[in-house]
Amino acid sequence: MNVEELLGKLIAFPSVVGCPNGAIVDWIAEFCRTAGAEVTVLPGPEGDRSNLIATIGPRERRGYVLSGHMDVVPAGEPEWSSDPFALRREGDRLYGRGTTDMKGYLACALAALPNLATMELAQPIHLAFSYDEEAGCRGVPHLLAALPDLCETPLGAIIGEPSGMQPVLAHKGKMAARMEVTGRSGHSSRPDLGLNAVHAMADVITHAVAHGQSLTQGPFDETFAPPYSSLQVGVVTGGQSVNIIPDRCTADIEARAVPGVSPTALLEPVKARLLTLRDRGFAVEWQELSSYPALATARDSDLAGLLTHLTGQEPLHAVSYGTEAGLFQQAGIEAIICGPGEIGRAHRPDEFIETAELAACQRMIEALGARLAA
């Protein structure tokens, strides 16, 4: 199958984040085995979704990882022009959920696999496909924990998030958490007899907004936009009716941190404010949803030099979105971002990728293979 046919197969699996992914994992595993790769399926602790690692070349030698995620964001927007889980071609554009983010990269890696298998690689290439990246890279830590038992420590990881095939050296770290406040319900005419959880959460959110505003004062890293760490509350839920004192309220909050700043530390003042509500009779809970560290790869690193050679493009210092690259780097594996498509097309109706972008990515992967066969 060529890369377009493979992309069509992958898009047809509605592998939405947070859902079972056995069907797409089984199909990819069978394709990789048929192409000559050694395949390991790594079930996650959730019990209904898995990571996958496929290796071409000698596992006992140090090679490179091509890392991508199999999950996609939901596609419930009414603005889609066609079925988001059926690949549609118009001219040189291929439409469907995940075409850019990031089944296009997966399709390129799979399309290159049969050619890589004929190259008699002296160093291996590992396909590392993870689950629930869109929920904060939840699958990758389990994949990385298993990696030392499967191969020698890789020389580097190429994370195929959409970058226009330009290597990217850095991104911010992130942590997301859910805050829950439980008070006491009652009739709204007697607020003195209840504990309004929404009002209590409003106090925490007000504090969070002020704390987020203070982050605009630095520290700064001018390679990012914006050049400082940030914080926002993205989801708030609470209450049943305007005449009922709400006894429960939840809010989801995230922090994005420039390299050198801990996203967990950025949220500590908000967590501390939440805990003070206990003194007023409320029950509170803080639940970490996801986290990953920032990426900071040196421009003069061997990996940056390799990707410059393979793509013909000088590295871009930083992007605003996050990836699993920081987790690879934290595990002692140098990482860089480089993949087909543009991030501005992701997470929106009529997501698409161009055929030329897929061709460029497949050439890059096969050029890496040729280099490792030399």
Side-chain angles (χ1 to χ4, degrees), residues 31 55 83 108 124 143 164 166 200 210 216 223 225 274 297 331 333 336 356 369 372:
F31 179 90
T55 299
D83 183 351
C108 292
L143 185 154
Q166 183 175 12
T216 64
T223 58
L274 176 73
T297 298
I333 302 168
I336 199 166
L372 299 183

Side-chain angles (χ1 to χ4, degrees), residues 324-346:
E324 69 267 28
L327 290 167
F328 274 91
Q329 192 171 66
Q330 187 179 68
I333 302 168
E334 201 63 84
I336 199 166
I337 302 165
C338 187
E342 300 292 342
I343 195 66
R345 305 176 198 154

Side-chain angles (χ1 to χ4, degrees), residues 184 195-196 199-201 203-204 273 275-283:
R184 185 169 59 249
L195 285 172
N196 191 309
H199 289 182
M201 183 66 82
D203 174 72
V204 178
R273 186 69 165 219
L275 296 180
T276 65
L277 296 180
R278 291 172 175 169
D279 298 334
R280 295 160 51 185
F282 294 92

Side-chain angles (χ1 to χ4, degrees), residues 33-58:
R33 291 189 182 104
T34 300
E38 296 182 70
V39 178
T40 303
V41 174
L42 301 165
E46 299 82 1
D48 61 359
R49 65 207 78 160
S50 301
N51 298 306
L52 177 147
I53 297 178
T55 299
I56 289 287

Side-chain angles (χ1 to χ4, degrees), residues 307-348:
L307 267 294
T308 299
H309 173 77
L310 294 176
T311 65
Q313 296 195 61
E314 288 295 321
L316 177 68
H317 185 86
V319 290
S320 296
Y321 60 84
T323 77
E324 69 267 28
L327 290 167
F328 274 91
Q329 192 171 66
Q330 187 179 68
I333 302 168
E334 201 63 84
I336 199 166
I337 302 165
C338 187
E342 300 292 342
I343 195 66
R345 305 176 198 154
H347 298 196
R348 60 188 301 174

Side-chain angles (χ1 to χ4, degrees), residues 175 177-179 181 200-201 203-205 207-208 211 231 253 264-280 282 284-287:
M175 179 181 173
R178 176 164 295 151
M179 303 181 288
V181 176
M201 183 66 82
D203 174 72
V204 178
I205 292 173
H207 178 75
H211 177 51
L231 181 152
I253 187 170
T264 302
L266 291 180
L267 290 182
E268 281 301 319
V270 182
K271 181 180 180 181
R273 186 69 165 219
L274 176 73
L275 296 180
T276 65
L277 296 180
R278 291 172 175 169
D279 298 334
R280 295 160 51 185
F282 294 92
V284 302
E285 183 177 343
W286 176 275
Q287 177 190 0

Side-chain angles (χ1 to χ4, degrees), residues 170-258:
H171 66 64
K172 294 180 180 180
K174 175 184 172 180
M175 179 181 173
R178 176 164 295 151
M179 303 181 288
E180 182 174 327
V181 176
T182 302
R184 185 169 59 249
S185 187
H187 196 285
S188 62
S189 66
R190 289 299 306 271
D192 53 312
L193 299 179
L195 285 172
N196 191 309
V198 170
H199 289 182
M201 183 66 82
D203 174 72
V204 178
I205 292 173
T206 299
H207 178 75
V209 171
H211 177 51
Q213 185 62 33
S214 73
L215 300 179
T216 64
Q217 305 305 308
F220 297 103
D221 186 329
E222 298 296 337
T223 58
F224 288 95
Y228 45 80
S229 301
S230 62
L231 181 152
Q232 80 146 9
V233 176
V235 180
V236 179
T237 304
Q240 304 175 62
S241 174
V242 71
N243 61 351
I244 300 174
I245 298 170
D247 63 348
R248 185 172 178 272
C249 185
T250 64
D252 293 353
I253 187 170
E254 71 162 26
R256 294 180 182 263
V258 296

